[in-house]
Amino acid sequence: MFNHIPVPQYMDLVTEGEAMGVMLEKVCHEDGSEQAFKIMRDSGQVKAVFAGHDHVNDYEGELEGVHLEYLRASGYAGYG
């Protein structure tokens, strides 16, 4: 699944020590629902979730059987 805004559980990867990669800013999940991840996980259809939004995070990890991955900005000066 591809999302622009990450689900709040991306921060769980960091706090639980499961994140591998570059973590240079906090997860800006825009007060997203904690339930969204649970629905994706419980569907049995979602194996991985890819998100962007935070331009200088580039990390990945597995949480409750779902792979979460941040995708870094694709160009120079992503924040202007």
Side-chain angles (χ1 to χ4, degrees):
M1 175 176 278
F2 290 87
N3 297 329
H4 180 80
I5 308 291
V7 292
Q9 285 81 358
Y10 274 78
M11 193 62 211
D12 294 346
L13 288 177
V14 176
T15 59
E16 295 178 13
E18 297 296 323
M20 295 177 58
V22 178
M23 296 155 273
L24 297 176
E25 63 184 308
K26 72 177 216 162
V27 176
C28 291
H29 53 76
E30 308 294 335
D31 295 325
S33 169
E34 295 273 336
Q35 296 300 319
F37 176 79
K38 294 174 185 172
I39 291 167
M40 289 185 272
R41 178 199 64 206
D42 294 346
S43 75
Q45 299 295 311
V46 178
K47 306 298 183 205
V49 180
F50 300 87
H53 191 60
D54 301 326
H55 296 203
V56 293
N57 283 338
D58 188 10
Y59 63 84
E60 55 88 19
E62 189 172 310
L63 186 67
E64 300 177 24
V66 178
H67 188 82
L68 300 176
E69 184 152 342
Y70 252 120
L71 306 172
R72 190 179 291 197
S74 60
Y76 176 73
Y79 279 131

